Amino acid sequence: MESFLNSWGITAMVFAPLVGLAIMMLIPERDEDLHKSIALLSTVVSGVVGILLFRNFDYGQSQLMQFGVDRSWIDVINARYSVGIDGVSLPLIALTLLVVPLVIVYSWNHIPAPGNAKAFLMLILVLHTGMLGTFVARDLVLFFVFFEVVLLPMYFMIGVWGGEDRLYAAIKFFLYTLFGSAFMLVSFLALYWLTGSGTFDMVELAERVQSEGLTAQEQTLLFGGMFLGFGIKVPMFPFHTWLPDAHTQAPTQGSVILAAVLLKLGTYGFVRIALPILPEGAQNWAPYIGLLAVIGIIYGAFGCLAQTDMKRLIAFSSVAHMGYVMLGIATLTDFGINAAIFGMVAHGLITGLLFFVAGSVKERYHTLEIKRLGGLLIQAPKMGWILGITTMASLGLPGLAGFWGEFPAILASWNPAPGLNENVFRVYMVIAAAGTVLAAGYLLWLLQRTAFGTPTDEFADDPHIHDTVMTEWIAWVPMLILIVVLGFVPSLIFDVTNAPVSAVGEVFQALGQ
Amino acid sequence: MLAQIITESVEFTRPHIDWHAFAPELVILAWGAFVTIVDLVGLERVRRLIAPLTGIGFLLAMIPVLTLWSQGDDLPRVLFDGAYVVDNYSLVLKGVFLLSGYVIVLLSSDYMAEGDYYDSEFYQLLSASVLGMLVMTSARDLVSIFVALELLSIPAYLLAAWRKRDLKSNEAGLKYMLMGVFASGILLYGMSLLYGGAADTRLSVIGENLSDGVSTPIVTLGVLFTIIGFGFKVSAVPFHTWAPDTYEGAPTPLTAFLAVGSKTAGFVALMNVVFFAFAGQPELVQPFMWILAAATMTIGNLIALRQTNMVRMLAYSGIAQAGYIMAPLAVYGDRLGDAQQAIVLYLVIYAAMNLGAFAVVIIAARKTRSGEISSFGGMFRYAPGLTLAMTVFLFSLAGIPPMGGFWAKFFVFKVLTDGWGLWGTILAIFVAVNSVVAAYYYLNVAKQMWFMPAPDGDHSPIVIPPALVAAVAVTIVVTMVTGVTGLIPDWTDFTSLAAAP
């Protein structure tokens, strides 16, 4: 068993969904239930392999890449099929393995118009493989391929199954991301040449950048290319405009996957690639990243306050929450980066669940316009309570998961890595702290207007409005439990991430001396 | 005087000819003659046989290509005093031309049979043109390059005007011919200047003589005119104006042939001249190619954005792609092998994905009878498999992994960023930005197929003849296999070869 996990475990986990996809291709479209079963089964298989991997993971050595596989792939450029799991990627892989099967369960009776469960589920499976692959890749070329593969299914998901303005949202999402990744690719290649190492291996490149002594200026330029690629994906403040459109127009399942996992590809890229490989570049960029992050926090909050659509409001809240994550990363301290990774997972669970609920509200009321909603607690009390708990988690209430992403990130900016201007980051800290008040404001306001009060006349006697159904329970309860558990026992994640993050943090401690 | 000539010609001895190395060309020639005779004897009774026979001819010619390839150590084989060379590089390209020719036959057979055109002649001329391309891959001499170029072009002029009762097709043929002949004139002028400057027609000798310091305004002019001459063939901006009209008017299978075969042949000629004769003159060639590449990709893409006709869109997209393919020539100076590899790799993948896209266009036109992009609406509903295939080709053209087109672009990026040179990096950024612009119009087609309703609500399925199924299958397999495995780069590694004669 162990030898299987060591040599094939990750590969099996990543590509199991594609096996399911191949089987589904052979089955005619009308057998919808069969398609759903196969899709679910293949993600569950992937999840079981994942759980086995996590059980055998050596948590004492979480800074090391484990279950590593390193095979030659494209010899001419020495790009390798090199994968592994360490403490940074483990929580995100776990998140992906959890969320995607839940999305498929939710799809059981929620296939959005215009139908065609087969194609819809096949796209989800491609997404699954792409996301897992991005989190396990240790080779820049492999990483890039997976990073891009994710684009295609999401484009079609928004474009075919999306809302009214889906065409615009789909193309905007696609072109924005492609623009960033084109520059990222140029950066990767420049790194390959500048280090003269003839390798795309992340760890080796980090060492070569030190030993070859890339100048701070070169590092800053290269970091700029990566910043475009990852920053657009996060999305950071001036590049965020694709997000509200994509989220609002995407079908519920698409929004959940986007919020829960896709946005993390960007932040993960910063932690995994940009920071360790280009420390001096990161140091030069950090104040600006911090600035954009706090602008994002405040801007996202004001954006939320101005929204009249529930889904769009949640989308803007993502901009604000990812701002906290980026602020944590910008401090370049182990404390801040730990918080950032926790924030990614927490945001994935919380915002994913919010989108689920929003999708179900839309299904019942056929609208998400906040002023037409109201009295959810009367008409569908269980769903109302779930919405309540999730908004509380989202605004960072202690005892729920959201708190441990935001609070330490704010705290970390009191004392950023040496070499960074303390005063600047303390100003950021104050602004970010003010952002939490705004967050409480818009989230509670949302809850008040949709869940409290009495139903509007329009929907008061609508027989279609019913409480949570079975598939919804199955999809939501695991996320709810995790939000509570992580809120009380944050060490579940911090213990895993701390060792690898400390290694990164030490680099910046040393650099600033 | 006369007696002297006679005595001299008596002493003439036939130069040694390496028949094996020359076999692919001979197979095409002999098979073409055989097919002509079959046609002459059988007349109407064998009409349906000509297309499959021509296809078999292309596959037969693959056999000597493969046997030569298997003799790796024996290469390169030099014929005719260095004017004709068979090496890995030329063999890969011969394979590309033969397989592309085969796919073109698959694309043409139903189109030609149903359109009541002259069948047999079409395939004869097609074979002749492919023969010219095979010669081009091995031509290492100004004269043989020119002969190859004319051999591949003249049949194409005729073929472009094949729908002879259609004014657009006439326009296509005439425009193509006039521009082609004009380009040939410029090319010949450039070649004559080169010959005057370097005192030989063999590329390797020209290369040596130029490196010895023969650098006069005459040589400079010769180099520039030669490149411009090929610029017409590869439809580089500003010599591209014939392409959209010709592509639109010509029979669509032939358009595919022009867009893939003819363009690739132009690049082969360009590569031969640049890598074997101008290898030592990067300071002369590079700036020119830089401007040409940047202008070609940018202008091609910008105009493609506005197209509503599918074939015209593919024409402009092909112009933009030519810009990417040319880009490595702007920095080839100290990395000949890498530049050559990047271009050949791009050509191989470009052939597969572009032929695939044209195959889908031809299939779709059988039902819709329209060339407008909007006529692709709703195809996801009534032809999901075809939609998926087209999506693969479009994303490959846009350069998105895991399709082959990604690796094609990747290697261009790799050559451009090598050494972090200023001009190379700027051009790399040009390619990056252009890729995003191009994605917009490729996605626009995908959008029509996936998201839009069928224009007239007609959801009847498309009947796809087996030949066209085969064409799509071949091209999609090449596109996906190269994309997922990244296999191709291994066998287009010519690093050791760039310096060879």
Side-chain angles (χ1 to χ4, degrees):
Chain A
M1 192 64 203
E2 214 154 289
S3 69
F4 167 78
L5 286 179
N6 278 329
S7 51
W8 287 100
I10 293 182
T11 310
M13 176 181 78
V14 173
F15 292 102
L18 289 191
V19 175
L21 181 137
I23 299 170
M24 285 167 71
M25 271 187 163
L26 304 173
I27 299 169
E29 193 188 318
R30 59 181 177 281
D31 297 331
E32 283 208 4
D33 284 336
L34 190 57
H35 282 298
K36 288 168 187 163
S37 314
I38 295 173
L40 183 62
L41 188 69
S42 55
T43 51
V44 168
V45 167
S46 169
V48 168
V49 177
I51 290 169
L52 289 174
L53 286 171
F54 298 157
R55 275 185 45 143
N56 284 288
F57 189 82
D58 181 356
Y59 290 92
Q61 301 281 327
S62 65
Q63 75 277 20
L64 297 179
M65 277 289 175
Q66 300 185 24
F67 312 108
V69 174
D70 190 9
R71 299 253 157 78
S72 73
W73 178 33
I74 300 170
D75 290 333
V76 188
I77 47 174
N78 201 14
R80 305 179 67 80
Y81 176 74
S82 169
V83 293
I85 299 178
D86 74 348
V88 174
S89 52
L90 192 142
L92 295 165
I93 294 170
L95 178 70
T96 314
L97 289 174
L98 173 77
V99 168
V100 177
L102 298 184
V103 165
I104 294 178
V105 170
Y106 183 82
S107 305
W108 221 269
N109 51 6
H110 292 93
I111 294 287
N116 196 343
K118 177 184 177 182
F120 187 73
L121 293 170
M122 279 163 71
L123 291 180
I124 292 183
L125 293 182
V126 176
L127 266 174
H128 196 38
T129 293
M131 295 183 302
L132 288 173
T134 314
F135 289 135
V136 299
R138 292 193 317 184
D139 182 283
L140 288 183
V141 178
L142 191 66
F143 174 88
F144 187 84
V145 169
F146 280 121
F147 191 81
E148 291 289 276
V149 162
V150 170
L151 275 184
L152 307 179
M154 199 36 106
Y155 170 71
F156 288 114
M157 198 177 277
I158 298 173
V160 177
W161 288 273
E164 270 163 30
D165 216 5
R166 58 184 188 274
L167 299 181
Y168 173 71
I171 191 89
K172 194 171 178 183
F173 162 73
F174 196 97
L175 289 184
Y176 250 99
T177 321
L178 191 66
F179 180 80
S181 32
F183 282 92
M184 187 169 84
L185 184 63
V186 173
S187 262
F188 285 176
L189 277 164
L191 199 59
Y192 175 82
W193 292 116
L194 279 179
T195 56
S197 50
T199 179
F200 282 104
D201 188 273
M202 294 174 190
V203 181
E204 215 171 307
L205 274 176
E207 286 162 10
R208 296 287 300 199
V209 166
Q210 297 311 313
S211 62
E212 292 291 310
L214 254 65
T215 63
Q217 193 199 358
E218 285 169 334
Q219 290 199 24
T220 310
L221 264 177
L222 293 182
F223 196 96
M226 295 188 191
F227 174 76
L228 273 180
F230 297 136
I232 288 178
K233 198 87 170 182
V234 170
M236 298 208 59
F237 160 65
F239 312 119
H240 68 280
T241 64
W242 64 267
L243 181 102
D245 288 312
H247 263 319
T248 315
Q249 298 305 323
T252 305
Q253 290 89 336
S255 306
V256 172
I257 294 181
L258 250 177
V261 189
L262 279 201
L263 302 187
K264 278 70 196 181
L265 300 184
T267 40
Y268 174 76
F270 276 109
V271 178
R272 164 66 71 224
I273 296 173
L275 259 50
I277 296 183
L278 299 167
E280 287 181 60
Q283 208 181 25
N284 287 339
W285 274 86
Y288 304 104
I289 294 179
L291 177 66
L292 293 177
V294 290
I295 293 179
I297 292 172
I298 299 300
Y299 181 91
F302 279 117
C304 284
L305 288 171
Q307 296 311 313
T308 56
D309 181 289
M310 185 172 165
K311 218 172 166 188
R312 224 177 148 78
L313 190 153
I314 303 171
F316 266 100
S317 82
S318 277
V319 176
H321 283 118
M322 294 315 274
Y324 288 106
V325 173
M326 287 313 298
L327 181 64
I329 292 174
T331 62
L332 303 179
T333 56
D334 47 0
F335 195 46
I337 300 173
N338 270 324
I341 298 174
F342 198 101
M344 293 184 216
V345 177
H347 173 261
L349 292 169
I350 295 167
T351 311
L353 191 49
L354 279 176
F355 275 119
F356 263 141
V357 175
S360 287
V361 168
K362 168 108 189 203
E363 190 208 23
R364 287 161 174 80
Y365 291 84
H366 302 288
T367 182
L368 283 170
E369 211 168 316
I370 296 173
K371 67 171 180 251
R372 289 173 63 194
L373 299 171
L376 192 65
L377 278 167
I378 294 175
Q379 288 189 302
K382 289 168 190 150
M383 207 158 86
W385 277 112
I386 293 173
L387 179 67
I389 296 171
T390 322
T391 43
M392 293 302 159
S394 186
L395 62 84
L397 195 72
L400 295 170
F403 175 74
W404 297 105
E406 278 177 23
F407 183 66
I410 297 171
L411 215 56
S413 34
W414 176 259
N415 199 4
L420 298 178
N421 188 332
E422 269 185 8
N423 295 329
V424 169
F425 272 84
R426 283 175 189 177
V427 173
Y428 293 166
M429 176 179 147
V430 174
I431 301 174
T436 59
V437 181
L438 290 172
Y442 62 75
L443 285 162
L444 291 177
W445 200 28
L446 169 75
L447 188 65
Q448 251 179 19
R449 288 181 294 171
T450 56
F452 296 175
T454 50
T456 49
D457 296 342
E458 192 183 351
F459 297 111
D461 303 313
D462 194 329
H464 292 297
I465 295 166
H466 53 85
D467 213 338
T468 328
V469 297
M470 184 52 86
T471 49
E472 287 166 349
W473 279 121
I474 300 175
W476 297 351
V477 165
M479 294 173 94
L480 268 177
I481 292 175
L482 271 177
I483 288 172
V484 178
V485 169
L486 287 177
F488 279 103
V489 201
S491 59
L492 278 179
I493 289 181
F494 283 136
D495 282 352
V496 181
T497 57
N498 192 35
V501 167
S502 305
V504 177
E506 274 164 26
V507 173
F508 290 105
Q509 295 292 334
L511 195 64
Q513 299 302 325
Chain B
M1 181 68 185
L2 194 64
Q4 192 190 352
I5 290 172
I6 291 170
T7 40
E8 272 183 9
S9 58
V10 167
E11 284 166 16
F12 172 80
T13 49
R14 187 172 59 79
H16 171 72
I17 294 178
D18 184 346
W19 295 105
H20 187 191
F22 210 43
E25 288 82 352
L26 291 176
V27 170
I28 294 284
L29 199 60
W31 192 262
F34 166 68
V35 175
T36 313
I37 293 169
V38 170
D39 179 49
L40 281 178
V41 175
L43 293 175
E44 203 53 31
R45 281 165 293 159
V46 294
R47 198 172 156 220
R48 303 289 269 169
L49 285 180
I50 302 297
L53 278 177
T54 311
I56 290 169
F58 289 144
L59 293 184
L60 280 179
M62 276 301 283
I63 295 172
V65 171
L66 292 175
T67 55
L68 283 166
W69 177 266
S70 64
Q71 299 193 329
D73 301 341
D74 228 11
L75 299 171
R77 293 178 170 220
V78 181
L79 287 80
F80 306 123
D81 215 10
Y84 205 84
V85 175
V86 177
D87 50 23
N88 284 351
Y89 157 77
S90 68
L91 286 174
V92 168
L93 289 165
K94 278 182 217 262
V96 173
F97 286 128
L98 288 170
L99 286 181
S100 308
Y102 180 69
V103 173
I104 299 289
V105 171
L106 290 177
L107 295 182
S108 313
S109 55
D110 291 283
Y111 190 96
M112 286 293 145
E114 288 163 15
D116 198 27
Y117 302 112
Y118 302 106
D119 272 50
S120 168
E121 290 81 353
F122 181 88
Y123 296 108
Q124 301 305 323
L125 289 172
L126 189 67
S127 303
S129 192
V130 171
L131 177 62
M133 293 168 185
L134 296 187
V135 173
M136 183 64 89
T137 60
S138 293
R140 299 285 189 280
D141 180 288
L142 291 180
V143 177
S144 45
I145 286 180
F146 188 73
V147 170
L149 191 70
E150 294 304 297
L151 183 54
L152 73 89
S153 299
I154 293 172
Y157 301 150
L158 297 172
L159 292 172
W162 210 246
R163 301 188 299 157
K164 68 175 183 181
R165 285 174 204 87
D166 183 336
L167 273 181
K168 279 203 161 177
S169 187
N170 283 303
E171 181 194 347
L174 192 65
K175 249 186 196 162
Y176 187 33
M177 191 200 73
L178 287 179
M179 295 306 268
V181 171
F182 181 54
S184 292
I186 294 176
L187 178 66
L188 267 187
Y189 188 49
M191 284 178 166
S192 65
L193 291 177
L194 267 186
Y195 178 65
D200 205 294
T201 58
R202 276 167 300 174
L203 299 180
S204 51
V205 184
I206 293 177
E208 282 165 25
N209 291 352
L210 289 186
S211 301
D212 287 346
V214 193
S215 184
T216 60
I218 298 281
V219 171
T220 310
L221 269 184
V223 170
L224 292 190
F225 278 1
T226 317
I227 293 175
I228 289 174
F230 295 132
F232 277 96
K233 264 277 147 311
V234 302
S235 64
V237 171
F239 317 115
H240 66 287
T241 46
W242 59 273
D245 291 335
T246 303
Y247 282 18
E248 191 187 356
T252 321
L254 198 269
T255 305
F257 181 66
L258 293 181
V260 172
S262 189
K263 181 171 289 188
T264 306
F267 272 111
V268 173
L270 195 57
M271 273 195 288
N272 286 350
V273 173
V274 172
F275 290 138
F276 300 115
F278 307 152
Q281 270 64 41
E283 73 288 347
L284 190 61
V285 178
Q286 284 183 176
F288 191 58
M289 295 307 300
W290 198 98
I291 295 169
L292 222 50
T296 304
M297 63 180 89
T298 310
I299 292 174
N301 272 329
L302 290 182
I303 305 181
L305 285 175
R306 305 284 305 165
Q307 299 307 313
T308 55
N309 179 294
M310 187 70 195
V311 175
R312 286 186 82 86
M313 189 280 271
L314 283 175
Y316 281 108
S317 111
I319 293 171
Q321 302 270 348
Y324 310 142
I325 303 176
M326 239 182 282
L329 291 176
V331 291
Y332 72 94
D334 47 357
R335 57 201 87 137
L336 274 180
D338 284 348
Q340 195 176 14
Q341 177 183 26
I343 296 176
V344 172
L345 178 67
Y346 208 120
L347 291 174
V348 171
I349 293 171
Y350 174 76
M353 61 194 183
N354 219 26
L355 282 176
F358 273 107
V360 176
V361 171
I362 291 169
I363 293 170
R366 289 171 65 84
K367 174 186 152 110
T368 61
R369 299 280 150 213
S370 160
E372 293 303 302
I373 293 176
S374 57
S375 74
F376 282 74
M379 216 167 265
F380 174 52
R381 299 281 177 77
Y382 62 82
L386 196 64
T387 305
L388 191 64
M390 188 59 169
T391 310
V392 167
F393 298 131
L394 289 169
F395 281 120
S396 185
L397 284 165
I400 305 209
M403 282 45 142
F406 168 68
W407 295 112
K409 278 222 181 79
F410 183 91
F411 275 76
V412 169
F413 274 129
K414 175 181 166 243
V415 173
L416 290 176
T417 51
D418 190 352
W420 200 228
L422 177 64
W423 292 107
T425 310
I426 294 178
L427 198 56
I429 290 171
F430 258 88
V431 176
V433 173
N434 267 297
S435 306
V436 182
V437 175
Y440 181 79
Y441 59 80
Y442 293 127
L443 284 179
N444 184 34
V445 179
K447 178 185 92 179
Q448 290 291 339
M449 300 178 84
W450 285 75
F451 311 156
M452 296 309 235
D456 44 6
D458 178 8
H459 282 186
S460 59
I462 303 184
V463 183
I464 311 175
L468 290 172
V469 175
V472 173
V474 170
T475 47
I476 207 168
V477 165
V478 175
T479 310
M480 283 310 291
V481 168
T482 54
V484 173
T485 61
L487 261 185
I488 289 265
D490 283 345
W491 47 268
T492 50
D493 189 3
F494 309 116
T495 321
S496 57
L497 213 142

